[in-house]
Amino acid sequence: MIDSNGPVLNTRLVNAMQEMLKDNNEKTRSKMISALMGSTMLSPVVRQIAVTEEAMKQGNARFKFTMIQNDKGDKYFMAFTDWASLNKWKKEEGQQVVHMEFDDFAAIVLRKGSNMAGFVINPYGENVTIPRELIISLKKQKDERNNH
């Protein structure tokens, strides 16, 4: 994760999501997943005060990831493909933005004790949900590929 205001463009991912939303089939889903796996996205976070004096001395900042909830009460982290998509979200006091890849989202969604249902890409645009079950499957496939 990198805290930065640099350019982030995911034209390939946005196009693949839009194509999948128009015609959701195995080919368009595969194309979207492939684009996702190579993308760096933006995620809003709020920096929190370090909890312990030792953490403050070490400069260990703690961040709270901004979440969104669906009608069923499921919580998702937010991922934005570009600054224009992020700007559709309300800015919270103390909000910063980090650059994250699929593995970063997988790590926080799948960490022990997490009750997160997944992450959602461009919730105020394409609104593509990547549920926990899909994250588990993609992570497993990626790890198997990397081990061969």
Side-chain angles (χ1 to χ4, degrees):
M1 293 183 294
I2 303 166
D3 185 17
S4 172
N5 289 321
V8 174
L9 296 173
N10 287 293
T11 307
R12 182 174 162 239
L13 177 57
V14 171
N15 290 341
M17 288 190 304
Q18 290 173 348
E19 189 177 327
M20 183 190 73
L21 292 170
K22 287 179 189 169
D23 184 15
N24 189 348
N25 60 57
E26 188 174 331
K27 182 180 177 185
T28 58
R29 284 190 302 272
S30 179
K31 186 175 177 180
M32 191 278 299
I33 294 298
S34 176
L36 168 64
M37 300 306 274
S39 296
T40 299
M41 294 174 282
L42 303 168
S43 188
V45 296
V46 177
R47 182 177 280 210
Q48 296 184 315
I49 299 171
V51 179
T52 66
E53 189 174 319
E54 183 62 28
M56 287 176 19
K57 286 179 186 175
Q58 293 176 358
N60 293 338
R62 294 177 53 111
F63 292 96
K64 177 182 143 206
F65 283 85
T66 306
M67 295 174 277
I68 194 166
Q69 193 169 320
N70 67 11
D71 295 342
K72 297 176 186 175
D74 299 324
K75 295 178 184 175
Y76 295 86
F77 290 110
M78 292 187 290
F80 296 92
T81 56
D82 51 58
W83 289 101
S85 296
L86 174 69
N87 288 332
K88 293 177 183 178
W89 169 249
K90 67 179 190 274
K91 185 170 178 154
E92 296 182 23
E93 186 177 334
Q95 179 176 296
Q96 295 180 335
V97 176
V98 292
H99 291 192
M100 295 180 60
E101 296 176 350
F102 171 80
D103 286 342
D104 299 317
F105 284 106
I108 57 176
V109 168
L110 301 178
R111 77 174 173 236
K112 188 175 181 176
S114 171
N115 66 346
M116 299 307 298
F119 65 96
V120 60
I121 306 169
N122 292 349
Y124 299 98
E126 290 77 18
N127 195 32
V128 173
T129 301
I130 310 299
R132 174 184 281 270
E133 297 76 24
L134 180 57
I135 294 169
I136 291 168
S137 175
L138 294 173
K139 183 77 173 129
K140 182 178 177 185
Q141 291 173 48
K142 184 176 182 185
D143 290 347
E144 286 173 359
R145 263 195 318 271
N146 290 342
N147 290 333
H148 286 109

